[in-house]
Amino acid sequence: MPFLLAILGVLGAAAFWWYRMKAMNDAAREVADVVGRVQGSIRRKKLRKQAALSPLTAIDDPVVAAATLITAIVSENGPVLPQREAVIRSVILEIADKKKTDEAVVYAKWAAAQIDDTTIVIDKLAPFLRERLDVAERNDLLQMVNRAAQGGEKSLEIADQRILRLRQKLGFEVN
């Protein structure tokens, strides 16, 4: 009888530890699943951010960059209507010929439509423009943004934080 009790005790202990190991294995598998989901989420967020920036990373011309920046800021309040597009064209025509202006405005409208956040456009294009423009040209760019916002059927109110951010990213001192 004591021998039978010892075997039942050993079997009971083995069953207990087998159950405990199975529970620990399940917990470890759950933790690994959560870690995998978090890593996947981080990768997807990074890919979404890169995809959002792709129209901007292709820009290598200051005229196209200026047109895209102006269009993104102006289109923040709504779609770019034909009258507003004409104003943007006239502003860009001051710094480029007609063919270059047409190409820049078409690309700018497309790129601005692809990117929802104007802050991303400012953060990406303003440093590019700061490197390629002198101080007078950067001042002209700020005036071009204001003229594009004031032109058209009604003048647009550009958010102060957008202008401040643009000024800061262009290398001007911001108070």
Side-chain angles (χ1 to χ4, degrees):
M1 186 80 172
F3 179 72
L4 188 58
L5 284 175
I7 289 179
L8 285 176
V10 169
L11 287 176
F16 172 77
W17 284 108
W18 176 79
Y19 178 76
R20 293 269 310 208
M21 294 301 275
K22 185 178 174 192
M24 287 180 13
N25 189 22
D26 289 344
R29 199 172 298 127
E30 269 187 52
V31 168
D33 285 347
V34 168
V35 168
R37 275 189 244 122
V38 167
Q39 287 175 336
S41 175
I42 291 170
R43 267 188 249 115
R44 284 189 303 277
K45 183 177 181 182
K46 183 178 176 184
L47 287 174
R48 273 194 303 269
K49 186 173 181 181
Q50 285 176 344
L53 292 177
S54 65
L56 301 178
T57 56
I59 295 175
D60 60 354
D61 182 14
V63 174
V64 176
T68 305
L69 185 66
I70 292 168
T71 304
I73 290 173
V74 168
S75 69
E76 187 173 33
N77 296 329
V80 178
L81 300 174
Q83 290 177 337
R84 183 75 56 197
E85 182 180 342
V87 172
I88 294 171
R89 280 182 192 281
S90 70
V91 167
I92 298 299
L93 197 56
E94 296 172 7
I95 60 171
D97 63 0
K98 182 164 177 30
K99 182 181 178 193
K100 183 78 165 174
T101 298
D102 290 340
E103 291 173 6
V105 171
V106 167
Y107 187 86
K109 282 178 57 180
W110 174 79
Q114 299 299 311
I115 301 169
D116 296 334
D117 191 5
T118 305
T119 309
I120 292 174
V121 177
I122 292 171
D123 289 347
K124 188 68 179 171
L125 293 181
F128 172 81
L129 289 168
R130 182 182 64 226
E131 293 172 2
R132 286 161 179 76
L133 304 177
D134 62 24
V135 176
E137 291 170 330
R138 286 184 266 160
N139 272 323
D140 289 344
L141 177 64
L142 289 171
Q143 291 172 359
M144 290 166 65
V145 170
N146 285 326
R147 284 196 309 271
Q150 300 308 317
E153 62 277 356
K154 67 175 190 173
S155 91
L156 298 175
E157 192 65 36
I158 299 175
D160 288 339
Q161 71 245 23
R162 296 287 182 250
I163 295 297
L164 287 174
R165 185 174 198 90
L166 179 59
R167 287 182 61 78
Q168 179 185 20
K169 294 291 181 173
L170 286 174
F172 292 111
E173 187 152 327
V174 177
N175 293 336

